[in-house]
């Protein structure tokens, strides 16, 4: 059976390499971000609240917070990491407690609707016998007017706007799982609780949107199942990734982050990077310096009326060349196109147009060449190594999930 959840697909979209490690190689992440840890504890507490409620027992706020704090302490492990170094684990523990307090204050006595299920597993067949979507709904409610509500708790530090919520895919997929379960599910509302903001957001989906979403989901699954490359995709989310020690894009940073400053500077990779940047910066400085001296040489030569200058063991012969220049595509596209049109209409085009290698490569990449021609072209192909280094500054953490 091929089973896909929303988080599987989202993981692939965020980083194919992380997807491979987690779902294909089945490697457990080495660390857990404190935000995810806090989210789990808050979810458990709200689950307990509504479970008690369904048993005619409403826990007091103190009881709920005690449950949350006990669970926090019981589950805390060495792998929980705080990425934002300005804050401690206790700060996050307090944020979670505040989420619960505000939720409690807003919804007490929790009788807005009838709770039908908690942590409800839903399944959506995806058109092939062995393929389905599986998800868990935090809470499924039914209001007095017969509307079903799919509730989801979020403890993230960013609040989406209404347009973003109307595009959200996760709860819409859950709607697909609820609709066939009963014969009175024609009205379904999607409800998000952004607990850190004490904010409730709502949205609805029509059937056209749901069909489109199902197709999108299916084509993403086909992409996953046919891809051969699961490349690392760096983003702000890397800071919270539990596979940094295995990832080619983060492994070195992960290794050296643990070293003392004196050892850090002695590490071979760090030494090579520092030397490379030093040489690169020097080269840039020297190129700037060379351009300035060149200008000075020409103005000195012009003022002296000479074209040869003597130094210690060297002489410089100066030449000022004036050559014609025609517009290139990057300079001035309109003039470039006009010139090309002019040449195409003349006999000169055959003589001056050249074979464009990068255009050919693009055609091949996009499968725009017929097979017999492709094979003939490929017989001229050789693989060369092009070693490139892209430099960028290390950034502070920009974003939090
Ligand atoms: S560290 Fe970043 S690039 Fe590497 S696997 Fe994790 S998310 Fe992907």
């Amino acid at each position: 059976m091929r089973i896909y959840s929303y988080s599987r697909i989202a993981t692939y979209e965020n980083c194919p390499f992380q997807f491979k490690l987690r779902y294909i190689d089945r490697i457990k992440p080495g660390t857990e971000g404190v935000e995810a840890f806090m989210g789990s504890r808050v979810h458990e507490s709200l689950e307990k609240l509504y479970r008690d409620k369904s048993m005619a027992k409403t826990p007091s706020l103190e009881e709920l917070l005690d449950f949350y704090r006990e669970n926090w302490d019981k589950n805390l492990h060495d792998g929980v990491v705080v990425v934002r170094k300005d804050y401690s684990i206790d700060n996050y523990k307090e944020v979670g407690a505040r989420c619960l307090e505000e939720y409690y204050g807003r919804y007490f006595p929790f009788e807005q609707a009838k709770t039908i299920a908690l942590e409800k597993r839903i399944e959506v067949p995806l058109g092939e016998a062995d393929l389905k979507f599986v998800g868990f709904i935090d809470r499924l409610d039914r209001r007095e007017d017969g509307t079903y509500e799919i509730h989801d708790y979020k403890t993230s530090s960013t609040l989406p706007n209404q347009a973003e919520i109307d595009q959200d895919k996760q709860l819409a997929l859950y709607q697909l799982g609820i609709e066939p379960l009963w014969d009175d599910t024609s009205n379904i509302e999607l409800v998000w609780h952004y607990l850190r903001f004490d904010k409730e957001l709502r949205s609805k989906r029509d059937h056209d949107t749901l069909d489109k979403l199902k197709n999108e989901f299916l084509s993403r699954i086909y992409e996953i199942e046919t891809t051969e490359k699961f490349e690392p995709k760096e983003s702000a989310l890397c800071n919270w990734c539990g596979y940094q020690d295995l990832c080619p894009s983060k492994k070195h940073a992960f290794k050296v982050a643990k070293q003392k400053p004196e050892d850090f500077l002695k590490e071979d990779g760090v030494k090579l990077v520092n030397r490379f940047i030093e040489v690169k910066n020097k080269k840039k400085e020297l190129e700037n310096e060379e351009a300035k001296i060149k200008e000075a040489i020409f103005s000195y030569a012009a003022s002296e009326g000479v074209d040869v200058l003597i130094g210690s063991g060297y002489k410089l012969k100066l030449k000022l060349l004036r050559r014609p220049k025609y517009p290139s595509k990057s300079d001035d596209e309109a003039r470039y196109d006009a010139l090309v049109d002019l040449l195409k209409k003349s006999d000169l085009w055959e003589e001056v147009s050249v074979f464009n290698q990068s255009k050919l490569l693009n055609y091949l990449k996009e499968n725009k060449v017929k097979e017999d021609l492709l094979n003939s072209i490929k017989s001229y192909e050789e693989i060369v190594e092009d070693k490139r280094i892209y430099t960028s500054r290390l950034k502070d953490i920009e974003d939090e999930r």
Side-chain angles (χ1 to χ4, degrees):
M1 180 60 78
R2 290 138 68 211
I3 294 175
Y4 284 86
S5 63
Y6 178 76
S7 63
R8 251 183 195 235
I9 299 289
T11 302
Y12 177 80
E13 288 172 348
N14 289 336
C15 174
F17 188 70
Q18 189 191 61
F19 173 89
K20 178 180 174 292
L21 294 176
R22 185 161 171 189
Y23 295 108
I24 300 176
D25 303 341
R26 296 189 176 279
I27 299 172
K28 284 219 160 77
T31 56
E32 179 183 9
V34 68
E35 293 85 353
F37 179 82
M38 185 255 284
S40 302
R41 304 296 76 84
V42 170
H43 273 75
E44 283 160 4
S45 307
L46 291 174
E47 187 187 342
K48 178 208 163 36
L49 169 65
Y50 282 93
R51 207 169 288 291
D52 282 0
K53 185 79 195 156
S54 71
M55 294 300 293
K57 176 187 168 197
T58 306
S60 68
L61 176 60
E62 288 65 36
E63 282 169 332
L64 187 68
L65 291 174
D66 284 349
F67 175 86
Y68 164 77
R69 291 192 174 112
E70 267 169 36
N71 254 359
W72 180 287
D73 296 341
K74 218 161 56 191
N75 286 286
L76 193 63
H77 56 90
D78 293 342
V80 175
V81 288
V82 179
V83 175
R84 294 183 171 277
K85 297 298 174 205
D86 292 345
Y87 308 110
S88 68
I89 287 204
D90 283 345
N91 290 133
Y92 285 91
K93 188 176 180 180
E94 204 36 49
V95 169
R98 207 180 301 153
C99 288
L100 290 171
E101 271 170 36
E102 288 181 342
Y103 184 92
Y104 196 99
R106 175 188 268 260
Y107 294 105
F108 181 84
F110 316 106
E111 280 164 1
Q112 288 74 18
K114 189 103 192 141
T115 296
I116 306 291
L118 297 167
E119 285 300 308
K120 173 145 187 72
R121 180 186 158 100
I122 50 109
E123 293 186 1
V124 182
L126 291 172
E128 289 178 29
D130 70 334
L131 180 62
K132 65 182 169 190
F133 169 76
V134 168
F136 288 87
I137 296 176
D138 287 342
R139 193 176 90 234
L140 179 68
D141 278 3
R142 189 167 177 276
R143 290 202 308 251
E144 266 182 15
D145 67 2
T147 304
Y148 282 84
E149 293 181 336
I150 295 174
H151 290 257
D152 197 52
Y153 310 121
K154 299 283 187 204
T155 51
S156 66
S157 65
T158 49
L159 178 68
N161 58 37
Q162 189 61 44
E164 287 165 329
I165 276 295
D166 289 336
Q167 295 294 317
D168 185 279
K169 296 172 186 167
Q170 185 178 11
L171 297 205
L173 284 162
Y174 294 171
Q175 178 171 342
L176 282 168
I178 291 300
E179 279 183 345
L181 295 185
W182 299 286
D183 57 10
D184 62 346
T185 54
S186 53
N187 274 331
I188 297 184
E189 270 185 38
L190 313 178
V191 189
W192 290 261
H193 299 274
Y194 276 82
L195 302 166
R196 278 167 90 159
F197 304 92
D198 190 19
K199 177 96 180 147
E200 182 187 292
L201 290 164
R202 288 177 177 259
S203 183
K204 282 184 143 192
R205 296 293 188 277
D206 60 29
H207 282 112
D208 281 354
T209 313
L210 291 177
D211 285 346
K212 238 195 244 164
L213 182 63
K214 202 166 159 181
N215 288 336
E216 261 175 47
F217 200 72
L218 262 175
S219 55
R220 188 63 88 201
I221 289 173
Y222 292 139
E223 184 187 324
I224 293 173
E225 293 186 347
T226 51
T227 193
E228 284 167 11
K229 282 189 193 160
F230 291 91
E231 304 275 4
K233 186 164 146 191
E234 279 189 272
S235 72
L237 294 178
C238 291
N239 294 306
W240 286 268
C241 175
Y243 296 107
Q244 293 181 41
D245 55 333
L246 299 173
C247 169
S249 303
K250 287 287 168 189
K251 207 170 170 175
H252 187 239
F254 186 82
K255 176 183 164 191
V256 297
K258 291 183 190 150
Q259 293 180 325
K260 292 183 200 148
E262 59 273 27
D263 295 333
F264 173 80
L265 291 171
K266 284 185 206 148
E267 202 272 343
D268 283 347
V270 172
K271 279 198 311 203
L272 283 166
V273 172
N274 290 350
R275 183 82 188 116
F276 182 79
I277 297 294
E278 196 181 304
V279 169
K280 209 173 150 138
N281 288 344
K282 235 182 236 166
K283 192 173 146 199
K284 209 167 166 190
E285 267 174 38
L286 289 173
E287 278 167 3
N288 290 341
E289 183 74 11
E290 187 189 352
K292 276 189 206 155
I293 298 173
K294 203 170 167 186
E295 276 303 309
I297 286 172
F298 272 89
S299 54
Y300 176 83
S303 69
E304 293 290 316
V306 296
D307 65 1
V308 174
L309 290 182
I310 303 301
S312 312
Y314 287 92
K315 69 173 186 179
L316 301 180
K317 170 86 182 149
L318 313 187
K319 267 193 182 162
L320 181 61
L321 302 174
R322 291 204 157 78
R323 59 182 174 80
K325 181 178 179 290
Y326 292 95
S328 68
K329 210 171 173 76
S330 54
D331 279 352
D332 183 340
E333 193 168 349
R335 290 189 73 226
Y336 169 84
D337 289 343
L339 177 62
V340 168
D341 272 353
L342 178 75
L343 291 170
K344 276 182 178 166
K345 284 179 199 147
S346 74
D347 304 338
L348 265 181
W349 183 245
E350 277 283 300
E351 306 296 327
V352 298
S353 64
V354 286
F355 160 54
N356 187 326
Q357 183 141 182
S358 63
K359 255 192 185 166
L360 174 68
L361 286 170
N362 274 343
Y363 263 72
L364 296 179
K365 216 191 281 170
E366 289 163 15
N367 296 325
K368 284 185 180 165
V369 182
K370 285 189 184 141
E371 205 175 333
D372 49 344
L373 177 59
L374 178 72
N375 291 336
S376 311
I377 294 172
K378 286 270 177 186
S379 68
Y380 291 91
E381 183 178 290
E382 57 176 311
I383 302 296
V384 287
E385 281 190 341
D386 179 9
K387 293 195 168 100
R388 294 184 191 193
I389 297 179
Y390 302 93
T391 52
S392 60
R393 290 196 167 275
L394 287 172
K395 287 184 201 142
D396 289 338
I397 296 149
E398 285 170 344
D399 191 17
E400 190 179 319
R401 302 191 265 198

